[in-house]
Amino acid sequence: MGEWTWGYEGYDPAKERLRETLHTLGNGYFATRGAVPECRGGLVHCPGTYVAGCYDRLVSSVAGRQVENEDLVNLPNWLLLRFRLLSPDGSPGPWFTPDRCETAGYRQVLDLRGGTLTRSFRYLAADGRVLRVEQCRLVHMGDPHIGALRTAFAAEGWSGRIEVEAGLDGDVINANVHRYRALDRRHLAGVHTGVAEPDTVWLRCRTRASDIGIGMAQRAEADGPPPVAARLRAVGHRAFHHFEFAVSDKQPAAVVKTVALHTSRDWAISDPLGAAVERVGRAPAFASLLHSHAVAWRQLWRRAELEVPGEAGHVLRLHHFHVLQTLSPHTAGLDAGVPARGLHGEAYRGHVFWDELFVLPYLDLRLPEVARSLLDYRYRRLPQAQWAARQEGRAGAMYPWQSGSDGRDESQRVHLNPSSGRWVPDRTRLQRHVGSAIAYNIWQYCQATGDTSYLQTKGADMLLQIARFWAGSAVFDPAGDRYRIRGVVGPDEYHDAYPGADRPGIDDNAYTNVMAAWVLTRALDLVRTLPARRRQELVECGGLDIGELPLWEQVSRRLVVPLHEGVISQFDGYGELAELDWVRYRERYGDIRRLDRILEAEGDAVNRYQVSKQADVLMLGYLFSPAELASMFQRLGYRFTDELWQRTVDYYLRRTSHGSTLSEVVHGWVLARARRADAWRYFREALESDVADLQGGTTPEGIHLGAMAGTLDLVQRGLTGLETREDALWLDPVELPELSEFAFTLRYRGHWGIGIRVRGDELTVSVPESEGAAVRIVLPDRSLTVLPGDVTSVRLSGRQDG
């Protein structure tokens, strides 16, 4: 395939769900998986369509217990289109399906530049006739409520008739994740269908519990010679356009179905069905839709340029495509967060975790209005986070590990281990560090954009409440003359209790504590710089108590950072746990990414061992430069040296199973910044995690959005050392021989298209012409100013040290 395409040859039922995920088309408002139009949902295909933020909550009876889950809802299938050949006497042959019919030259190609998915094949009918089929679909990047599918048919050496049926299907369930099959998965109710002459069919329904109205309308028409016969019909939960075409080797036929989708959560509509019918009626012809869609994508790519040569660049472009489809300019203004698995499937039930920590720093310098909207998702759920903290006897705001529609904690209390078939406790809700991720993203967004207004208003509301929660969570220990944070789960996730302990959680997770100290420090900085009137407002409404600040100062300087054997401990007591026989487990199981499941199935517990599912302590090196870490540790009363960090990195490299796709991103980043030769191994695995489905069956359930954005950010910030602070772009490039040349553009402080290019030991910075201010660039050994319209190149010193 070419640099801007991602395709597959042949039809392979075993791989169709993976291909459907990677061929998903979306526009930030909704996305539809790359399923074949002839097939409804089943074990092989999942033609899922998902709208950002459209959730529904159901209670299921599973294994004698009541389980409540909120899910991103699979909406009616708008792709449905099937065809069959008619015999000379008019009797129909079988409907074509790729799994039951013979084909030749079967090919699916995703055009990353233009945002289209094409499919072409030759249908070899049982009676010897051959029909060539070409399809092109789009989910419009200009009009976020429109999708379209064009199907062309050409007879090879024969003439006759074909029958085509194009429809909307409301008889769908959430069936993308097989292990959820015991749950109630039917989220749509009140499905009604109908026709609106002369050329429209429609479908309306509602979600069962959240009562979100959904309206869908389809206009179908011939694109070329008119049909011999055409009619509209609505039967049960499905509505169809039915066509008969005369085809020959000289007269092809084509059908275009244009679909509009609205929900009752949309702005500026009276009702979703009326809006959908009106919108589809006004939609232009397919050629015009295709043109305007291509223009929208061209403009979007221009705002998000990234050039990396070779195979790595090819995969990065695919990652880039899916990030932009999930979080596009249309996302701005929606009440939606960062779904960990994109809008590409139903894994994690479409929930929002901490993955925004890997996504927003990339968007800050590309689509800042989208980053701000995603922060607003958290702001609207601040009251719920404050209520959750009060329920735990804490002050401030305690954001949940999993979020959905209203901000309550959507984390499971039990989960099924597929390796043992047993339900086991799920304590991931004790991952309190989500609040720190939100605070970090607020700070980074405001540093990158200079949006002091946001920092002083909504940002302050959130940041100060998160700081208040951490100050209230820290307990003073007179024995060590330090503060401790007990009963949490760190990013590692494996360790949710001490071996044999009665209570869940572990104490003094290093990442949690250091991040809590950082949040408190930033909150103190913010209070000092707030305008007096804004500070007064916060005091008057209870958002700030000046009397709390001495405690914040004290906790930010006296939190425990556990150490053992000359390394930073993942948590207090980590070094006392048993060592795992890694060689034996790899020989026995091969893939040991999910050691927790393996050990539980053996009757053992991962809590007993010095193992990590994913980067935990090393996350600190992902978020902060060595100089920042040294400053933070100094504030806490510890000495942070390069030797300490190198020993810590080596220690956890040997003890991490990489059970999360985020882990390779972090390890690749940390090792690259440490100028380690093995950085490329982890970066390559992060690149391949979804395209090769390295997690073994997880990608068919949705992409790993954080990992995809993380690989892009590894180039943008990791390899360049890019930081935005003190009204300057700080750059400290490191050498990664496998990626010795790359370039990208940034949107920074009113400049659209600041160019950064690294080629060997040369760094080039360009600033587009404008009336804006000069851009200050700070390098480790010098600083320079680049005026609008200028291009500056410098030699990088010390690159040979890599």
Side-chain angles (χ1 to χ4, degrees):
M1 295 297 171
E3 291 183 9
W4 284 89
T5 58
W6 193 272
Y8 298 98
E9 304 283 346
Y11 177 80
D12 186 345
K15 297 179 180 178
E16 280 301 300
R17 287 204 171 202
L18 171 64
R19 296 176 179 182
E20 289 175 3
T21 297
L22 297 178
H23 279 174
T24 294
L25 296 179
N27 57 25
Y29 171 78
F30 84 97
T32 297
R33 289 169 57 84
V36 299
E38 304 85 24
C39 298
R40 301 175 65 204
L43 293 176
V44 175
H45 296 285
C46 179
T49 290
Y50 311 98
V51 167
C54 184
Y55 292 98
D56 188 53
R57 185 184 308 279
L58 296 177
V59 176
S60 307
S61 180
V62 181
R65 67 175 75 229
Q66 297 297 104
V67 179
E68 180 179 304
N69 287 296
E70 185 176 67
D71 293 82
L72 189 69
V73 178
N74 179 22
L75 299 186
N77 176 20
W78 66 270
L79 289 177
L80 196 60
L81 185 143
R82 60 181 184 170
F83 62 91
R84 59 186 175 183
L85 306 186
L86 302 180
S87 66
D89 64 5
S91 59
W95 292 108
F96 170 83
T97 58
D99 56 337
R100 296 180 180 178
C101 299
E102 187 177 356
T103 62
Y106 193 96
R107 195 169 188 240
Q108 302 172 84
V109 179
L110 178 65
D111 178 357
L112 304 173
R113 192 192 302 274
T116 60
L117 177 62
T118 60
R119 183 173 69 140
S120 59
F121 58 90
R122 297 168 69 234
Y123 168 33
L124 311 180
D127 62 7
R129 287 183 289 176
V130 177
L131 183 70
R132 189 168 67 252
V133 181
E134 294 184 359
Q135 290 181 315
C136 178
R137 78 176 69 164
L138 59 86
V139 172
H140 207 279
M141 188 53 80
D143 185 334
H145 300 278
I146 291 289
L149 171 68
R150 182 182 189 273
T151 306
F153 305 94
E156 294 189 359
W158 61 277
S159 61
R161 293 189 179 187
I162 62 170
E163 185 178 355
V164 181
E165 200 171 67
L168 304 175
D169 183 5
D171 190 19
V172 299
I173 62 173
N174 274 41
N176 175 239
V177 181
H178 188 59
R179 62 183 176 279
Y180 298 166
R181 63 191 179 278
L183 303 175
D184 188 346
R185 299 178 293 167
R186 190 168 294 279
H187 291 278
L188 301 182
V191 180
H192 292 87
T193 58
V195 302
E197 297 287 356
D199 58 5
T200 301
V201 298
W202 55 262
L203 181 154
R204 72 178 178 208
C205 58
R206 305 192 75 83
T207 54
R208 286 171 59 187
S210 56
D211 200 33
I212 298 171
I214 297 137
M216 194 176 280
Q218 171 184 287
R219 188 187 79 211
E221 55 207 340
D223 188 11
V228 175
R231 59 190 172 95
L232 288 66
R233 63 191 180 101
V235 180
H237 290 176
R238 290 189 283 278
F240 298 97
H241 284 82
H242 188 93
F243 299 98
E244 284 188 23
F245 287 97
V247 295
S248 68
D249 51 1
K250 295 181 180 180
Q251 180 178 299
V255 174
V256 172
K257 57 181 293 181
T258 305
V259 175
L261 167 63
H262 276 280
T263 81
S264 56
R265 301 177 78 245
D266 295 343
W267 296 88
I269 65 170
S270 59
D271 75 277
L273 179 58
V277 170
E278 183 177 281
R279 187 175 291 268
V280 81
R282 295 177 178 178
F286 185 81
S288 181
L289 281 174
L290 187 62
H291 172 73
S292 57
H293 175 66
V295 169
W297 263 110
R298 184 165 64 247
Q299 293 173 346
L300 189 54
W301 280 120
R302 191 184 302 138
R303 294 172 64 179
E305 290 179 277
L306 177 66
E307 298 175 24
V308 176
E311 182 59 25
H314 189 207
V315 179
L316 280 167
R317 195 167 286 117
L318 178 72
H319 287 188
H320 209 170
F321 178 77
H322 285 302
V323 171
L324 294 175
Q325 288 197 122
T326 308
L327 304 169
S328 82
H330 297 301
T331 307
L334 297 180
D335 184 29
V338 177
R341 303 301 285 274
L343 297 174
H344 296 61
E346 297 160 17
Y348 303 159
R349 299 180 173 83
H351 290 167
V352 176
F353 293 71
W354 73 321
D355 299 61
E356 64 205 68
L357 185 61
F358 298 83
V359 178
L360 263 66
Y362 182 74
L363 295 177
D364 289 342
L365 293 164
R366 301 296 183 124
L367 300 168
E369 67 279 5
V370 177
R372 178 172 175 149
S373 178
L374 296 168
L375 291 174
D376 282 348
Y377 168 86
R378 294 298 193 177
Y379 175 74
R380 296 185 191 101
R381 286 148 184 81
L382 177 60
Q384 184 69 39
Q386 291 174 288
W387 170 254
R390 289 197 297 274
Q391 294 300 104
E392 292 284 322
R394 309 277 177 82
M398 184 179 77
Y399 280 94
W401 175 234
Q402 296 187 39
S403 295
S405 61
D406 60 10
R408 77 181 77 175
D409 189 357
E410 303 294 348
S411 305
Q412 300 176 91
R413 295 301 188 263
V414 293
H415 73 267
L416 179 67
N417 179 1
S419 298
S420 67
R422 289 189 289 264
W423 290 87
V424 296
D426 188 321
R427 294 165 174 156
T428 52
R429 67 186 184 280
L430 297 177
Q431 293 192 73
R432 309 301 193 201
H433 58 82
V434 175
S436 296
I438 295 167
Y440 180 89
N441 280 331
I442 292 168
W443 195 263
Q444 291 296 321
Y445 163 78
C446 295
Q447 289 287 311
T449 61
D451 191 349
T452 55
S453 175
Y454 194 87
L455 181 61
Q456 294 169 358
T457 54
K458 294 179 180 178
D461 289 340
M462 289 184 281
L463 184 56
L464 297 179
Q465 292 304 317
I466 295 166
R468 179 177 279 172
F469 172 77
W470 283 130
S473 298
V475 178
F476 184 68
D477 179 8
D481 191 31
R482 284 194 172 272
Y483 286 88
R484 307 185 65 186
I485 297 177
R486 294 190 167 101
V488 300
V489 170
D492 159 52
E493 294 187 355
Y494 272 174
H495 297 88
D496 60 10
Y498 288 99
D502 295 331
R503 66 175 177 89
I506 47 87
D507 300 334
D508 297 320
N509 174 255
Y511 174 81
T512 301
N513 285 17
V514 172
M515 288 301 296
W518 180 87
V519 170
L520 288 163
T521 303
R522 295 288 77 79
L524 290 165
D525 291 343
L526 176 58
V527 170
R528 283 190 287 267
T529 58
L530 278 174
R533 286 195 176 184
R534 175 57 178 151
R535 188 162 52 245
Q536 180 184 359
E537 288 177 356
L538 286 165
V539 171
E540 288 173 349
C541 70
L544 174 64
D545 181 348
I546 299 300
E548 293 177 285
L549 302 186
L551 177 63
W552 293 13
E553 182 78 31
Q554 192 173 10
V555 174
S556 73
R557 294 182 180 277
R558 300 299 297 166
L559 270 169
V560 167
V561 179
L563 296 101
H564 74 277
E565 299 177 14
V567 302
I568 303 169
S569 295
Q570 187 166 294
F571 54 82
D572 181 43
Y574 186 85
E576 299 170 14
L577 301 177
E579 291 281 10
L580 184 79
D581 187 343
W582 291 85
V583 173
R584 183 173 73 86
Y585 274 89
R586 285 195 174 98
E587 289 176 348
R588 183 173 180 181
Y589 293 99
D591 184 353
I592 58 170
R593 287 182 173 88
R594 293 307 304 266
L595 267 171
D596 55 335
R597 293 175 174 176
I598 292 171
L599 290 169
E600 193 278 331
E602 290 184 346
D604 204 345
V606 73
N607 283 327
R608 296 182 54 236
Y609 300 98
Q610 292 185 43
V611 298
S612 297
K613 175 183 175 183
Q614 58 188 318
D616 190 302
V617 174
L618 300 193
M619 274 296 302
L620 296 172
Y622 176 78
L623 298 178
F624 304 108
S625 68
E628 287 179 289
L629 281 177
S631 176
M632 290 158 60
F633 271 64
Q634 183 180 14
R635 180 183 178 89
L636 286 165
Y638 296 95
R639 186 166 177 264
F640 183 91
T641 64
D642 287 343
E643 292 75 18
L644 170 67
W645 185 242
Q646 294 291 349
R647 286 196 302 269
T648 300
V649 170
D650 288 336
Y651 185 85
Y652 292 105
L653 279 176
R654 297 192 297 268
R655 292 168 172 82
T656 304
S657 69
H658 304 292
S660 164
T661 56
L662 297 174
S663 191
E664 279 91 355
V665 172
V666 174
H667 280 76
W669 181 297
V670 168
L671 292 170
R673 296 305 306 167
R675 293 173 167 82
R676 297 276 290 270
D678 45 353
W680 176 247
R681 168 195 161 193
Y682 292 98
F683 185 38
R684 188 181 66 247
E685 288 186 8
L687 286 174
E688 295 175 355
S689 60
D690 271 335
V691 299
D693 192 21
L694 294 183
Q695 295 284 330
T698 63
T699 304
E701 302 167 352
I703 61 167
H704 295 84
L705 188 66
M708 285 191 169
T711 59
L712 300 172
D713 204 26
L714 198 154
V715 177
Q716 176 175 283
R717 294 193 305 141
L719 297 185
T720 62
L722 173 63
E723 297 178 74
T724 52
R725 53 188 171 92
E726 300 173 21
D727 295 323
L729 291 175
W730 295 64
L731 294 166
D732 181 15
V734 295
E735 186 175 16
L736 186 62
E738 294 84 356
L739 285 180
S740 60
E741 181 179 348
F742 56 87
F744 54 85
T745 58
L746 302 174
R747 183 172 158 193
Y748 174 72
R749 302 295 176 92
H751 293 285
W752 290 51
I754 294 176
I756 307 288
R757 178 176 292 277
V758 174
R759 182 186 287 116
D761 63 352
E762 183 180 66
L763 169 69
T764 301
V765 179
S766 62
V767 178
E769 275 195 48
S770 74
E771 295 298 316
V775 177
R776 190 162 67 95
I777 307 293
V778 180
L779 298 168
D781 57 347
R782 76 200 94 166
S783 62
L784 50 105
T785 300
V786 186
L787 295 169
D790 283 358
V791 178
T792 300
S793 296
V794 296
R795 293 287 176 183
L796 298 168
S797 59
R799 293 297 292 270
Q800 69 275 11
D801 296 336

